[in-house]
Amino acid sequence: MHFFRHALVLVVGLTSSSGGVSRVFSIGIPNSEVIRLAFDAVVQSVMKFVLGNGEGFILLLSCDETSRGAYKLASNISSLAARFVFDRLEEQSFAAFSRLQNDVPAMEGTFVLATKTSSMIAMLFSFVGPAYSRLFVKIMYGPEWESAGVPFLLSMSLFYLQFISVNGIAEGYFNAVATSKAVRGYSMFTFIVMILYMGFGTVFAVYYGPAAIILANALNMIFRAVYCARFIARLNSKKTGQTRTAFVLLKEATPTLGFFFTMAALSSLTLGSERLMKDEVRIRL
């Protein structure tokens, strides 16, 4: 019932902001704008609910109890970073985009800076985290979860943060500037992607386990981020008269090659230190 409450709040807000029921309703029937906006709110809430619980459906249909537990544990650990780091960046970016709507260069500069910063933070988790995932799970949760495959799933979940970070900023930009028509188009697109995600995720999880769900989630984030970037590039091209493409926009927001090499070197160092720490823990145990 959560999504119906969204629609009710929207209708009541539009009614009160329009000067009363008499100006919004005609002969007891809501006008088309109220119905359309309420429908958009309901559709988005339903899709958010399905996307948020889709993993549970896939796990229930295609994985055994041990695999479900391993996936949930790895997902809960990695979600801490998403909740406390990337959600905050997305909220701040959305607020900045909302304030700068009439300044396209400033908005693009903010988008590039926010996406690059978010990507660099995510890469720290992606390159450094997997080296210590096995040792972390063994110490915090015991060898039974280590043997259940949690370290591998945790490593993949940390890598998945890279796609969450980019998509969050792109959707923040989109939501700040999109019209109701654009929102409906995006809702339809995400609905199609959701159906594909549920279908492929269920099928491949039967053969490859919970790791297939993480890969399906990553593809879901990629499709959504590219859609938003494409919309942003087209909108800014119309406003400025300069041709912009989603590829150019995302390329500018990508960390430099030097940062990639730095992360690769850091990953090598962490792998070496993890082996030393694992030997030391084994000796103490």
Side-chain angles (χ1 to χ4, degrees):
M1 299 300 294
H2 180 68
F3 48 85
F4 291 110
R5 187 161 62 249
H6 277 290
L8 180 60
V9 170
L10 178 62
V11 172
V12 171
L14 286 171
T15 303
S16 57
S17 64
S18 301
V21 177
S22 60
R23 294 183 58 183
V24 179
F25 293 86
S26 176
I27 320 179
I29 301 175
N31 65 28
S32 59
E33 183 65 20
V34 173
I35 295 175
R36 184 163 54 249
L37 292 175
F39 177 76
D40 292 342
V42 171
V43 170
Q44 289 185 55
S45 298
V46 170
M47 288 192 295
K48 286 182 178 180
F49 173 80
V50 175
L51 285 173
N53 296 273
E55 294 176 353
F57 296 142
I58 297 175
L59 288 169
L60 187 63
L61 292 173
S62 57
C63 298
D64 57 36
E65 186 175 351
T66 301
S67 298
R68 291 198 296 268
Y71 178 86
K72 287 295 185 181
L73 178 57
S75 179
N76 289 338
I77 295 172
S78 62
S79 67
L80 294 175
R83 187 178 301 114
F84 292 107
V85 179
F86 300 111
D87 282 356
R88 306 286 178 161
L89 288 173
E90 181 179 347
E91 291 172 1
Q92 294 300 318
S93 299
F94 173 77
F97 295 142
S98 299
R99 290 194 303 267
L100 300 171
Q101 285 193 33
N102 297 322
D103 192 344
V104 174
M107 288 190 71
E108 281 201 0
T110 303
F111 173 78
V112 170
L113 178 61
T115 305
K116 189 173 291 187
T117 301
S118 185
S119 296
M120 292 170 72
I121 296 174
M123 288 177 68
L124 285 173
F125 287 102
S126 302
F127 280 84
V128 176
Y132 298 110
S133 60
R134 183 174 298 277
L135 189 61
F136 173 81
V137 171
K138 186 175 183 178
I139 294 175
M140 297 298 297
Y141 301 99
E144 62 276 5
W145 285 111
E146 179 190 10
S147 60
V150 175
F152 175 70
L153 294 175
L154 178 57
S155 299
M156 292 191 65
S157 297
L158 292 173
F159 182 74
Y160 168 60
L161 291 176
Q162 182 68 52
F163 305 101
I164 291 180
S165 65
V166 175
N167 178 71
I169 304 299
E171 284 193 338
Y173 196 130
F174 176 87
N175 291 326
V177 300
T179 61
S180 58
K181 181 180 179 180
V183 171
R184 287 193 296 273
Y186 185 61
S187 298
M188 182 59 65
F189 174 80
T190 53
F191 176 76
I192 296 173
V193 172
M194 177 187 65
I195 296 299
L196 295 174
Y197 158 73
M198 293 286 291
F200 284 103
T202 303
V203 172
F204 285 102
V206 173
Y207 298 98
Y208 302 104
I213 303 176
I214 301 176
L215 292 176
N217 276 324
L219 291 174
N220 179 24
M221 292 293 116
I222 291 173
F223 288 140
R224 289 164 59 180
V226 170
Y227 183 99
C228 292
R230 188 166 174 264
F231 172 85
I232 293 167
R234 284 186 171 184
L235 180 65
N236 292 348
S237 296
K238 291 180 180 179
K239 289 183 176 181
T240 62
Q242 301 177 352
T243 303
R244 298 283 285 172
T245 64
F247 175 78
V248 172
L249 189 63
L250 291 175
K251 183 179 179 182
E252 292 177 356
T254 302
T256 62
L257 192 61
F259 187 79
F260 278 98
F261 285 127
T262 302
M263 289 294 99
L266 184 61
S267 178
S268 300
L269 291 174
T270 55
L271 286 172
S273 64
E274 188 269 343
R275 292 178 181 176
L276 293 176
M277 292 176 63
K278 184 170 62 177
D279 294 338
E280 184 175 351
V281 169
R282 186 184 298 114
I283 291 173
R284 289 184 178 182
L285 292 177

